[in-house]
Amino acid sequence: MALDRSKIPQGREPDPFIFPQWQEFTLINGLTVVILPDRRFPQISYRLMIPSGATRDGRQSGLTSLTSELLSRGTKTKSSSEIAELTESIGGRLSTGSQWDASFGFISSLSKYKEKSLGLLAESILHPAFNDEDIQFLIDQRLNNLLMSRDSTSFLASFAMGCTLFPDHPFELPINGTPQSLKSFNRPAILQHYKKWIQPCASILIVLGDVDPDQILPGIEASFAEWKPMPWESYEFPIMPLIKKNQVVVVDKPDAVQSSIRVAHHGVSRKNPDMPAIIVMNTILGGYFGSRLNMNLREEKGFTYGVRSVFTERIFPGYFAVATDVRNEVTGDAVKEIFHEIRGMQKELIDFKTLENVRNFLVGRFPSDFETTDQLSQALMELKLYGFDENYFSRLRNQISRVTAEQVLDAARKYLNPDNAIVVVGGKASEVAPQLSQFGDVTLFESELI
Amino acid sequence: MIEFEQFRLANGLNVVVAENKKAPIVAFDLLYHVGSKNENWGRTGFAHLFEHLMFEGSLHAPGKLFDELLQNVGGENNAYTTEDLTNYYELIPSHEVELAFWLESDRMRFLNINQDTFENQRLVVIEERRQRVDNQPYGTAMEKLASMIYDKHPYRWPVIGYVDHLMDSTLDDVTSFYQRFYSPDNATLILSGDISLNRAQDLSEKYFGEFKASAGIKRDFDFDQVLISEKRDTIYDSVQLPAFFMGFPTVSETHPDYLALDLLADILSNGKSSRFYQDLVYNRRLAQSVSAFQEQNEHPGVFGLYGIVRPGVDIQTLEDFTYGHIGKVAEYGVTEAELEKVKNLSISSVINRMQGVANIADFMSRYAGVYQNPGYVNELIQKVEAITTSDIQRVASTWFSPSNRAVLHYLPKVLS
């Protein structure tokens, strides 16, 4: 007899979700060390997070990320080529860099070389060379990358979005800097920035992989012992400039066949206490495949391959943005639908079925989001960076599972702001600008910075 | 080392189970052995368009139910199409794994597409092409290079297809493609994670067991002659920096020279200590970036070189220096230390692909679904270890000559 396929199979009882546990050690200089053994594979990695990121650039856009990138480009006794050779010989990768809130160092290798890789990371962080040739080389690489980015509508739209939302503010310009700022950096400026912002205190080193904690800890202490703590310089985040009415900004790329659209306004801090409701609200709007924006713009209208909405996750409030790429002739229609969906979230309570679906989606993902030690280390860094306690993720999971339709509506009304938003489009101005005047005064974006 | 069991249903469905109880989740990959090389000229892009349609409803799970039900249990799902295969996958809490069996079996046998959803997804795919190819600097380079290298073989067109072919396709094409390629004997199911062999057998039999095998999958394509003289072309595009793209027809991934060619590409361009980076990017400052790769294909693929020149550098100079590195390996070979280094990098990347149940399923799926040999993932490290410096030198002198290549130059177009 054929199987009756009309019945949807019912799941079994879920296994309880237990958050992985970990052990922490703090060294005398304030560096926290977490070791997560996973002996299944002969591999090891070290991740270092230093809680000072590109917001520390001040008006020198790109200085933090250039300084941290240079950490993996040679030490006082080893050239950048030697460092690359030594790392890659042990099956390793060494990288250093910055995001807005933190800077990072990472090295991995086969576990039989665990002391070597630890040594290479520590030497790179503690004794960087910052030699002039490598500084100039990296600056040139970045200048050329920026030159190439002029042909990406997506880069152009994001660049203009930063400039329009955050004039004279740390979030105005990209983490990697601009041609103007990059050309002004030299060794003394980089060295000064390094001394001030690469500190062990409140930094965290996570060791993952085929390792015995008792065996590796003394080596870690010895490798980082020379890293002297200095008090962190206090840091005041500038007040956000106001957006008083809707504005439209077009960045012209005359031969574009698609428009990169950003509908954006100021966002919230990662530490916002309403975060569970904000997460549920944003997921419904544009945070997953079944979101209202994606169902409308992709699955009904066929305007785009995909559309997402996002609240940046930064210590200081960043932005909320809807981002998508659509063909030239539907650019205005797509923006209209985006506003329609944003306003729709503020109008009425969402139906229970949608709410339940999204809560289940978010809660059900937790086991797969914390499956590997790699994922766990990312989560740990988040806890440290934002000052959350060790139960934060279990609590967040419970809070998300209880978010109500009223809380979603409140969050939409409080944190979505379609009347103080900007519309930025990178694309063929002659074709798309006339479609956009319905949303506000249209300005053609011009900047000597790109 | 990944431990696994394998069994086959009477209708030919191949099932691989790699049990792992570390987390209460299961990766469910259903791979069909069909890709863009099974298309015909005039319908390029169809295998990938069809993949999109598989999410648009089946008889018992109509409309958007496929996504909705999986989302409702915290499952993730997606799919991808290559020249050789189409892989559909779910990552799902283990207590809900039966739902994946129900949904995937329903769309294997009872797909239900109408004209509206067909036309909608065709538009979506065309936007995908614009986003990834037409609106990207150098975006058309790989498809143009392939069209120069292959004469008849379907690898000469891109997986995403050409817009006019997509527009010419019809709902009838959907039906015949579905009947031809979407049968249990053309599919492999890989289950990785918290599921036992017994449960996998029960559920596979329950949901897929009653489907009939096809009458045999007909696969027709024309194999090519090798290139007998160099082909060159110049494209004026919306780019700031000139770039060259060079391709040599080489081998399939089952050819004895495949891994040596792959390691040769690593010696040339994997990492900051590689020959290309040290010589062309860092020391001579000729290139902004430069890379070598060997394609991983079921039929003979391409060994590619490409480089973006630094401002002020002559593109021909970079092309000559880059190609010259292959000649150097052919003439002088590589050192033991150099080979040891890329072996370690290669082994590290194999290990990375074995972490997490979704990675494991994806890693095994290609070898299980195309070659019926999932255990190949466990042999790879040994095979890499066995490559010698003379293997590297031999492949560098065997597969490369100026008369066996296609070369494209991308130059900034001068706006009038």
Side-chain angles (χ1 to χ4, degrees):
Chain A
M1 201 184 81
L3 176 69
D4 175 9
R5 291 177 184 271
S6 62
K7 288 197 194 75
I8 300 171
Q10 295 305 299
R12 301 175 167 189
E13 275 301 298
D15 296 309
F17 175 61
I18 300 159
F19 266 77
Q21 300 295 303
W22 65 91
Q23 264 191 304
E24 268 184 40
F25 310 88
T26 303
L27 308 188
I28 298 167
N29 58 13
L31 176 68
T32 299
V33 179
V34 174
I35 303 172
L36 300 168
D38 180 352
R39 324 276 322 230
R40 290 172 300 165
F41 299 100
Q43 207 178 34
I44 187 159
S45 69
Y46 302 87
R47 286 171 192 278
L48 178 69
M49 183 197 76
I50 300 146
S52 57
T55 49
R56 304 301 195 267
D57 279 350
R59 299 307 298 157
Q60 297 177 293
S61 167
L63 182 56
T64 307
S65 69
L66 185 69
T67 303
S68 59
E69 191 179 353
L70 278 161
L71 296 176
S72 51
R73 296 287 178 145
T75 68
K76 297 210 163 101
T77 56
K78 297 182 183 79
S79 72
S80 60
S81 300
E82 285 167 336
I83 288 283
E85 181 67 34
L86 287 166
T87 311
E88 288 163 12
S89 298
I90 56 177
R93 292 283 179 217
L94 170 66
S95 62
T96 51
S98 297
Q99 295 172 1
W100 285 109
D101 289 331
S103 295
F104 301 89
F106 169 82
I107 194 164
S108 65
S109 77
L110 297 173
S111 54
K112 59 182 168 181
Y113 306 114
K114 51 172 137 336
E115 285 84 15
K116 273 191 188 168
S117 44
L118 172 64
L120 282 165
L121 179 67
E123 186 177 342
S124 298
I125 303 294
L126 271 60
H127 306 292
F130 296 129
N131 83 52
D132 287 319
E133 200 191 342
D134 283 289
I135 292 171
Q136 198 50 51
F137 173 76
L138 274 195
I139 288 175
D140 286 349
Q141 286 271 309
R142 287 192 181 196
L143 291 173
N144 294 335
N145 282 336
L146 284 167
L147 184 67
M148 289 162 66
S149 301
R150 287 188 201 164
D151 284 311
S152 158
T153 52
S154 171
F155 173 84
L156 295 173
S158 294
F159 189 92
M161 178 180 81
C163 295
T164 313
L165 271 185
F166 303 107
D168 298 322
H169 186 279
F171 291 154
E172 177 180 9
L173 298 169
I175 286 179
N176 282 337
T178 66
Q180 219 174 46
S181 65
L182 287 165
K183 283 176 193 157
S184 75
F185 299 149
N186 55 23
R187 187 169 194 276
I190 289 164
L191 202 59
Q192 193 192 5
H193 199 78
Y194 166 77
K195 286 185 174 154
K196 201 156 136 189
W197 295 117
I198 302 295
Q199 295 284 338
C201 201
S203 295
I204 177 170
L205 177 71
I206 302 180
V207 186
L208 299 180
D210 181 15
V211 65
D212 176 349
D214 295 337
Q215 231 175 38
I216 196 79
L217 195 58
I220 293 172
E221 282 182 307
S223 303
F224 286 96
E226 287 173 62
W227 200 6
K228 297 281 180 296
M230 295 228 304
W232 284 103
E233 190 166 301
S234 69
Y235 177 72
E236 294 275 336
F237 194 69
I239 293 167
M240 304 258 257
L242 283 177
I243 304 287
K244 293 192 186 100
K245 59 171 187 171
N246 288 358
Q247 305 169 26
V248 180
V249 175
V250 176
V251 199
D252 191 21
K253 183 167 186 294
D255 57 0
V257 298
Q258 262 185 338
S259 300
S260 291
I261 299 174
R262 308 280 184 273
V263 175
H265 56 68
H266 292 145
V268 299
S269 162
R270 177 72 177 81
K271 297 173 164 190
N272 188 305
D274 294 333
M275 197 44 85
I278 294 171
I279 290 172
V280 173
M281 184 271 287
N282 185 62
T283 305
I284 295 167
L285 175 62
Y288 75 140
F289 189 84
S291 71
R292 290 182 174 185
L293 282 165
N294 202 52
M295 286 299 116
N296 180 344
L297 271 73
R298 173 183 154 130
E299 295 294 302
E300 274 170 40
K301 309 246 169 30
F303 287 169
T304 177
Y305 178 50
V307 49
R308 306 286 284 182
S309 65
V310 62
F311 280 90
T312 52
E313 298 187 349
R314 302 176 190 169
I315 293 174
F316 302 105
Y319 59 80
F320 160 82
V322 176
T324 186
D325 295 86
V326 305
R327 59 185 172 277
N328 296 354
E329 58 267 33
V330 299
T331 304
D333 290 341
V335 173
K336 200 168 154 184
E337 293 303 325
I338 290 168
F339 275 112
H340 171 76
E341 295 298 350
I342 293 174
R343 294 207 163 93
M345 292 298 297
Q346 299 183 308
K347 247 181 221 142
E348 56 194 12
L349 291 172
I350 50 163
D351 62 285
F352 185 71
K353 194 179 155 230
T354 307
L355 177 66
E356 201 185 21
N357 189 273
V358 165
R359 287 192 315 208
N360 290 345
F361 170 69
L362 292 168
V363 166
R365 283 171 54 97
F366 273 74
S368 50
D369 282 350
F370 293 88
E371 181 202 356
T372 64
T373 46
D374 208 47
Q375 291 167 312
L376 186 60
S377 80
Q378 301 284 354
L380 275 174
M381 291 201 284
E382 246 184 90
L383 294 183
K384 293 287 165 193
L385 191 55
Y386 303 116
F388 297 142
D389 66 71
E390 60 186 48
N391 297 318
Y392 172 78
F393 286 109
S394 329
R395 201 164 53 241
L396 180 66
R397 184 173 186 254
N398 286 332
Q399 288 167 333
I400 286 173
S401 70
R402 293 196 308 265
V403 166
T404 64
E406 288 75 15
Q407 287 172 314
V408 170
L409 185 63
D410 286 348
R413 287 179 176 167
K414 198 164 164 190
Y415 300 112
L416 295 176
N417 203 348
D419 297 322
N420 299 82
I422 61 167
V423 177
V424 184
V425 175
K428 185 178 179 181
S430 61
E431 192 176 346
V432 302
Q435 302 174 38
L436 297 168
S437 53
Q438 54 183 312
F439 308 108
D441 295 337
V442 181
T443 324
L444 204 59
F445 182 83
E446 274 169 26
S447 167
E448 73 280 9
L449 298 179
I450 46 172
Chain B
M1 188 67 182
I2 299 169
E3 286 176 22
F4 67 93
E5 306 274 352
Q6 189 170 204
F7 60 90
R8 195 180 285 276
L9 302 188
N11 59 21
L13 180 72
N14 183 22
V15 185
V16 177
V17 187
E19 185 179 2
N20 170 357
K21 288 189 159 314
K22 192 163 177 275
I25 47 177
V26 177
F28 182 117
D29 282 38
L30 188 57
L31 181 145
Y32 293 89
H33 188 188
V34 57
S36 63
K37 80 164 157 359
N38 305 103
E39 296 162 353
N40 297 312
W41 182 252
R43 289 292 181 275
T44 66
F46 196 79
H48 168 253
L49 171 60
F50 188 88
E51 171 219 309
H52 275 243
L53 298 173
M54 284 282 277
F55 294 85
E56 297 298 317
S58 56
L59 182 63
H60 305 96
K64 299 285 175 212
L65 209 57
F66 186 93
D67 283 318
E68 279 171 25
L69 289 173
L70 284 169
Q71 284 156 6
N72 200 36
V73 300
E76 289 175 55
N77 75 90
N78 211 331
Y80 59 85
T81 306
T82 74
E83 292 85 351
D84 302 321
L85 58 87
T86 311
N87 192 19
Y88 299 84
Y89 56 91
E90 285 83 44
L91 183 61
I92 190 167
S94 44
H95 66 280
E96 294 283 359
V97 72
E98 190 165 355
L99 181 63
F101 278 90
W102 182 74
L103 287 166
E104 284 291 5
S105 62
D106 211 52
R107 68 179 180 178
M108 178 189 275
R109 178 70 184 80
F110 305 104
L111 187 67
N112 191 12
I113 301 302
N114 62 39
Q115 189 66 29
D116 284 350
T117 51
F118 174 68
E119 286 176 15
N120 167 266
Q121 287 305 307
R122 194 163 61 180
L123 287 177
V124 169
V125 167
I126 291 169
E127 289 311 308
E128 181 179 357
R129 184 188 154 91
R130 287 196 179 107
Q131 190 177 325
R132 292 186 170 176
V133 179
D134 300 321
N135 211 37
Q136 293 297 334
Y138 320 108
T140 51
M142 295 320 289
E143 69 184 42
K144 286 193 194 301
L145 195 65
S147 72
M148 290 160 76
I149 292 171
Y150 295 99
D151 181 33
K152 296 193 178 70
H153 191 280
Y155 285 168
R156 78 181 191 275
W157 61 75
V159 173
I160 191 88
Y162 296 115
V163 172
D164 51 343
H165 293 177
L166 290 165
M167 288 314 291
D168 286 345
S169 62
T170 66
L171 211 48
D172 286 344
D173 295 325
V174 175
T175 310
S176 61
F177 194 85
Y178 188 50
Q179 284 170 353
R180 186 167 169 199
F181 294 111
Y182 279 71
S183 57
D185 49 321
N186 198 35
T188 298
L189 172 60
I190 297 98
L191 299 159
S192 150
D194 183 16
I195 183 167
S196 68
L197 177 64
N198 276 343
R199 186 150 161 78
Q201 282 168 327
D202 290 349
L203 290 173
S204 301
E205 192 58 56
K206 177 175 174 186
Y207 286 97
F208 292 98
E210 66 189 20
F211 298 164
K212 288 202 169 55
S214 72
I217 313 281
K218 192 168 155 274
R219 302 175 187 283
D220 46 1
F221 20 69
D222 297 304
F223 280 88
D224 269 350
Q225 306 285 321
V226 288
L227 288 174
I228 45 166
S229 64
E230 181 180 72
K231 290 187 184 172
R232 299 188 81 96
D233 201 358
T234 302
I235 309 277
Y236 293 89
D237 197 10
S238 175
V239 296
Q240 301 289 331
L241 297 176
F244 80 87
F245 298 82
M246 187 186 293
F248 304 81
T250 55
V251 299
S252 71
E253 67 172 316
T254 51
H255 190 283
D257 283 352
Y258 171 76
L259 279 178
L261 283 162
D262 196 42
L263 289 181
L264 171 64
D266 284 345
I267 285 170
L268 295 174
S269 79
N270 189 349
K272 293 194 175 72
S273 69
S274 65
R275 290 188 176 201
F276 283 179
Y277 190 89
Q278 282 297 317
D279 184 43
L280 305 171
V281 179
Y282 189 72
N283 288 329
R284 290 184 204 270
R285 315 264 154 123
L286 295 175
Q288 175 66 9
S289 65
V290 55
S291 193
F293 61 90
Q294 167 62 46
E295 284 181 344
Q296 183 183 20
N297 284 119
E298 190 182 352
H299 292 169
V302 167
F303 190 101
L305 300 172
Y306 68 87
I308 299 175
V309 303
R310 279 203 164 210
V313 174
D314 172 46
I315 186 171
Q316 195 57 48
T317 306
L318 178 62
E319 186 200 310
D320 293 343
F321 270 100
T322 307
Y323 181 62
H325 272 284
I326 298 209
K328 272 191 197 149
V329 175
E331 196 173 347
Y332 306 109
V334 298
T335 66
E336 290 291 343
E338 222 176 354
L339 180 60
E340 183 67 21
K341 178 181 72 184
V342 293
K343 282 182 180 177
N344 279 339
L345 287 172
S346 178
I347 290 164
S348 287
S349 85
V350 169
I351 292 170
N352 284 336
R353 300 198 63 188
M354 293 182 171
Q355 303 198 5
V357 297
N359 277 337
I360 290 170
D362 185 57
F363 192 21
M364 296 183 99
S365 67
R366 170 178 197 89
Y367 303 111
V370 179
Y371 307 109
Q372 319 300 315
N373 184 16
Y376 190 73
V377 297
N378 294 326
E379 297 163 25
L380 248 178
I381 289 180
Q382 253 183 323
K383 289 196 189 292
V384 167
E385 295 277 20
I387 306 281
T388 63
T389 52
S390 54
D391 290 329
I392 304 289
Q393 189 169 9
R394 180 177 48 76
V395 298
S397 38
T398 306
W399 294 101
F400 304 90
S401 95
S403 62
N404 186 36
R405 69 181 180 184
V407 188
L408 264 177
H409 283 187
Y410 270 64
L411 300 179
K413 99 178 134 193
V414 183
L415 294 173
S416 51

